[in-house]
Amino acid sequence: MNLSHVPAPFAEDPLPAPKEHRGDDQWVLLRPHDTVQVRDGRTFDGGTGGIAETVHPWPSTVAGALASKDGGLGGEPESVRGPILARRRSTGETWTPYFPMPADLYHPDSKDEDVLRMSLGEREGGVVTDLDEDTPNLRMFTTSPKAEGPEPVEGWMSGKTLQKYLHGRLIPLGGKVSVDKLKLTREEPLQSELRVGLAIDPETRTAKHGALYQATHLRLHERWSFAAHVTPHPDRHRPLDKVTGPVRFGGMARMADIDPAPGLEWPERPASFPDGRLLLYVATPGVWPKGWRPPIENSGAELVAALVDAPLAVATASPDRDARKFRSTRFLYYAVPPGAVYLMKFPNADDAERWAERYHGRALPLPEPIHRPDDVRLATAGFGVVLTGVWS
């Protein structure tokens, strides 16, 4: 990710310690009544023949819905970690979490269903890049020489399978496994629908003549839901078991119910990190001071390797019906996509274990607030949640 994608500089403050897990933390579901429409941030005008594209709901979309005064917590929660996708099990009312595929897994070609994991290559002598100032020893991920046309692995990985990946029990670096062993869901949780709309004048709230447009919407399949791990302010908000919605979610006139999410939990971290080697998996889009690089400067660890797909354009805004207020809250960020993988090396196993204990299943802390006309809290809104694993 190019550093020019970062919208503004951040102060190099020491990373604060995260708050301890509390008993009032709870997983919740957001279950839309209909389709959701979350714009991708690109300029769009009705009547121009374009199509308004939609994307998966951002962490800020979920945090805003949960903070709603009507049907929600009644104020900004202490933190929201998510969203992730969840699927109701075929028996009972419990739910299974699903996550994007780790970026270092691939098919060797379009016809081969076996799954390979990339290897860690050696840094070649004499090679100089523009990354050397901050990461002078960064090594590359490499595919097998026999892979004629590497293809990404499609599907979603359950929390149980991802836990095996994080613990190093699923497939080693450079290893190979049958795709059946991954037990991926082949069902796409979200279906795209193309709809026709008519643009509304934001000042008069009346239809604009001739301003027809097309827009894509997303519909969750049966038994699927969005989910998030929420920490409310216990003295300032309604109890989570009293929060049921409906709340606005994925569009001004679109609603979702809030329900408990029995059975949901983050994949567990490994108990130990031999030789201080820690793998960092990005579970929600990361908006970080140095673009593609996670904010780990004060961790004491060296960044050994990074595998990051193309950045996501993340648009955020406050859902205010006053057009001027709405426009003043709009911002565009470029985020590290979920599924990105980083390899870190701590001085020893104890340091790696302490760091993992602090940040596993949490957003990496940023110098906050990010200064804009209004303060924006990206870490507490669920951006940049990471999970920790091992590598060798």
Side-chain angles (χ1 to χ4, degrees), residues 218-373:
L218 295 176
R219 181 185 298 279
L220 280 165
H221 279 285
E222 189 177 1
R223 294 172 55 195
W224 286 90
S225 178
F226 300 108
H229 194 186
V230 185
T231 303
H233 285 285
D235 300 327
R236 293 162 46 187
H237 295 153
R238 304 182 187 103
L240 271 171
D241 57 1
K242 304 294 184 184
V243 174
T244 60
V247 293
R248 286 192 293 182
F249 181 70
M252 284 287 193
R254 304 194 173 275
M255 311 298 288
D257 292 327
I258 301 173
D259 293 323
L264 282 187
E265 57 185 1
W266 295 107
E268 295 180 3
R269 66 177 179 85
S272 62
F273 298 83
D275 299 323
R277 295 182 174 186
L278 183 146
L279 179 146
L280 199 67
Y281 167 89
V282 180
T284 65
V287 180
W288 293 327
K290 294 186 177 181
W292 65 273
R293 232 192 114 163
I296 59 172
E297 291 83 356
N298 297 321
S299 67
E302 176 189 8
L303 182 60
V304 177
L307 188 59
V308 185
D309 287 334
L312 299 177
V314 176
T316 66
S318 295
D320 198 305
R321 288 192 177 275
D322 185 303
R324 293 179 182 177
K325 290 183 180 179
F326 174 76
R327 284 194 292 267
S328 71
T329 65
R330 293 183 300 178
F331 300 107
L332 182 65
Y333 305 92
Y334 283 86
V336 170
V341 173
Y342 298 87
L343 304 184
M344 300 165 60
K345 178 70 167 65
F346 284 82
N348 54 67
D350 290 341
D351 287 353
E353 184 178 347
R354 281 192 293 269
W355 195 88
E357 184 178 4
R358 295 176 72 191
Y359 297 120
H360 181 87
R362 292 185 174 276
L364 292 180
L366 303 176
E368 296 185 80
I370 299 170
H371 294 294
R372 297 290 188 271

Side-chain angles (χ1 to χ4, degrees), residues 27 84 89 95-97 99 159 163 229 261-268:
W27 281 92
I84 64 169
R89 296 186 177 102
W95 294 75
T96 299
F99 298 87
Q163 181 171 303
H229 194 186
L264 282 187
E265 57 185 1
W266 295 107
E268 295 180 3

Side-chain angles (χ1 to χ4, degrees), residues 38-382:
V38 179
R39 290 284 306 281
D40 62 359
R42 285 181 283 189
T43 302
F44 171 80
D45 291 313
T48 60
I51 298 177
E53 299 291 346
T54 193
V55 293
H56 288 209
W58 302 120
S60 52
T61 311
V62 172
L66 292 171
S68 174
K69 294 180 180 179
D70 299 322
L73 288 168
E76 182 181 302
E78 188 171 294
S79 72
V80 174
R81 282 166 272 164
I84 64 169
L85 287 167
R87 188 172 187 264
R88 190 176 69 247
R89 296 186 177 102
S90 56
T91 58
E93 291 297 321
T94 55
W95 294 75
T96 299
Y98 280 85
F99 298 87
M101 293 294 301
D104 61 350
L105 301 184
Y106 67 99
H107 295 298
D109 58 61
S110 59
K111 298 179 181 179
D112 193 336
E113 289 201 349
D114 284 337
V115 174
L116 279 68
R117 188 173 180 187
M118 293 184 184
S119 302
L120 183 59
E122 295 295 333
R123 185 176 174 91
E124 297 182 9
V127 176
V128 179
T129 75
D130 58 359
L131 307 178
D132 287 350
E133 182 177 347
D134 292 325
T135 51
N137 300 311
L138 193 68
R139 295 162 66 182
M140 301 291 290
F141 281 93
T142 61
T143 58
S144 169
K146 298 181 180 178
E148 298 180 357
E151 295 283 344
V153 181
E154 302 292 339
W156 296 82
M157 183 176 282
S158 71
K160 185 176 181 180
T161 303
L162 182 60
Q163 181 171 303
K164 291 180 180 179
Y165 167 88
L166 295 172
H167 286 228
R169 300 199 309 265
L170 184 67
I171 176 173
L173 287 173
K176 180 178 180 179
V177 70
S178 168
V179 70
D180 295 333
K181 189 174 180 180
L182 301 187
K183 297 180 180 178
L184 306 177
T185 173
R186 296 294 182 155
E187 175 187 36
E188 176 55 45
L190 290 158
Q191 179 181 349
S192 178
E193 296 182 4
L194 187 62
R195 298 192 174 188
V196 176
L198 180 61
I200 301 295
D201 187 308
E203 302 294 339
T204 63
R205 304 298 301 171
T206 58
K208 287 185 177 180
H209 179 70
L212 289 170
Y213 65 90
Q214 289 182 309
T216 57
H217 290 228
L218 295 176
R219 181 185 298 279
L220 280 165
H221 279 285
E222 189 177 1
R223 294 172 55 195
W224 286 90
S225 178
F226 300 108
H229 194 186
V230 185
T231 303
H233 285 285
D235 300 327
R236 293 162 46 187
H237 295 153
R238 304 182 187 103
L240 271 171
D241 57 1
K242 304 294 184 184
V243 174
T244 60
V247 293
R248 286 192 293 182
F249 181 70
M252 284 287 193
R254 304 194 173 275
M255 311 298 288
D257 292 327
I258 301 173
D259 293 323
L264 282 187
E265 57 185 1
W266 295 107
E268 295 180 3
R269 66 177 179 85
S272 62
F273 298 83
D275 299 323
R277 295 182 174 186
L278 183 146
L279 179 146
L280 199 67
Y281 167 89
V282 180
T284 65
V287 180
W288 293 327
K290 294 186 177 181
W292 65 273
R293 232 192 114 163
I296 59 172
E297 291 83 356
N298 297 321
S299 67
E302 176 189 8
L303 182 60
V304 177
L307 188 59
V308 185
D309 287 334
L312 299 177
V314 176
T316 66
S318 295
D320 198 305
R321 288 192 177 275
D322 185 303
R324 293 179 182 177
K325 290 183 180 179
F326 174 76
R327 284 194 292 267
S328 71
T329 65
R330 293 183 300 178
F331 300 107
L332 182 65
Y333 305 92
Y334 283 86
V336 170
V341 173
Y342 298 87
L343 304 184
M344 300 165 60
K345 178 70 167 65
F346 284 82
N348 54 67
D350 290 341
D351 287 353
E353 184 178 347
R354 281 192 293 269
W355 195 88
E357 184 178 4
R358 295 176 72 191
Y359 297 120
H360 181 87
R362 292 185 174 276
L364 292 180
L366 303 176
E368 296 185 80
I370 299 170
H371 294 294
R372 297 290 188 271
D374 295 313
D375 288 341
V376 179
R377 292 175 170 83
L378 294 178
T380 55

